[in-house]
Amino acid sequence: MKKITFVLLVFVAVCAFEGSKVAAQDTPPQPGNDSGSGADAFFDNQMALLRKDIRSIKKQLIAANLTLTDNEAPKFWPVYEQYSAELGKIDDTRTALIKEYAEEYGTLTDEQADSLIHRWLDADISAAQLRQKYLPILRKVLSGKTAATFFQLDRRISNIIDIQVTSQLPLVQSQE
């Protein structure tokens, strides 16, 4: 039953992301158009709502698939919220990079491409470092197996989201 719940919630998250991504692609920004700031605000608002939905679904997935004892649960969720907030800052960076890539797509120089990929990799490193930071913190409130399960779930969900996001981005070389 938990496996079905996990797959169903991931599917819902992916569909929510896809719908929002398609809507964003329908209205590309036009250079020199003063309404760009309105489009930017709309995009930013839509992304914020989508990310809130994804965070909620991610929490539901973890709750449905992580078996916590009565003693662990009240200690785990505040730590999770703190972890999620810090991970959200890294996701803000990734979102900004995607937005920058979209804005520069078609005119991207080698230097801009280098900068974007370096900053994307830095965000990946920051996410890995955050997980390392939280391992001992979570081990104080969870058993070893439960902490390991949490990180498995966290990585699986993050990988699914990453694949979904990056598969929608056109390759840099296709701009030529």
Side-chain angles (χ1 to χ4, degrees):
M1 181 65 175
K2 283 187 176 185
K3 188 174 186 177
I4 293 170
T5 303
F6 181 81
V7 172
L8 181 62
L9 287 173
V10 169
F11 177 74
V12 169
V14 167
C15 288
F17 184 80
E18 278 301 306
S20 145
K21 186 69 174 164
V22 170
Q25 288 177 350
D26 288 344
T27 56
Q30 299 297 321
N33 186 346
D34 289 339
S35 68
S37 63
D40 283 347
F42 177 77
F43 174 80
D44 291 344
N45 195 22
Q46 291 299 308
M47 284 303 294
L49 291 172
L50 173 64
R51 290 182 60 215
K52 183 179 177 184
D53 288 345
I54 289 173
R55 280 191 304 270
S56 174
I57 292 168
K58 185 175 180 180
K59 187 174 181 178
Q60 291 173 34
L61 286 169
I62 290 170
N65 291 281
L66 187 66
T67 305
L68 299 171
T69 67
D70 291 341
N71 187 37
E72 290 173 329
K75 296 175 185 173
F76 169 75
W77 290 111
V79 174
Y80 173 79
E81 291 299 333
Q82 184 179 358
Y83 168 79
S84 182
E86 289 186 47
L87 189 59
K89 292 175 186 173
I90 295 168
D91 290 338
D92 289 344
T93 300
R94 288 182 175 147
T95 300
L97 289 169
I98 291 169
K99 186 175 177 183
E100 181 180 338
Y101 178 63
E103 289 169 353
E104 300 298 329
Y105 188 78
T107 62
L108 199 64
T109 66
D110 284 340
E111 292 77 20
Q112 289 170 315
D114 283 343
S115 174
L116 283 168
I117 197 62
H118 276 99
R119 290 182 286 149
W120 188 272
L121 293 172
D122 287 343
D124 287 344
I125 291 167
S126 294
Q129 289 172 336
L130 182 67
R131 288 184 180 99
Q132 285 183 320
K133 171 185 168 182
Y134 271 85
L135 178 58
I137 296 169
L138 283 170
R139 276 297 286 123
K140 289 179 183 176
V141 300
L142 300 175
S143 70
K145 289 179 183 178
T146 305
T149 301
F150 166 74
F151 283 110
Q152 282 182 310
L153 291 167
D154 182 62
R155 287 300 298 141
R156 284 181 185 181
I157 297 164
S158 294
N159 284 339
I160 290 168
I161 293 167
D162 286 347
I163 288 169
Q164 212 41 52
V165 169
T166 59
S167 70
Q168 299 302 311
L169 296 174
L171 296 174
V172 172
Q173 287 183 336
S174 63
Q175 75 172 333
E176 300 175 333

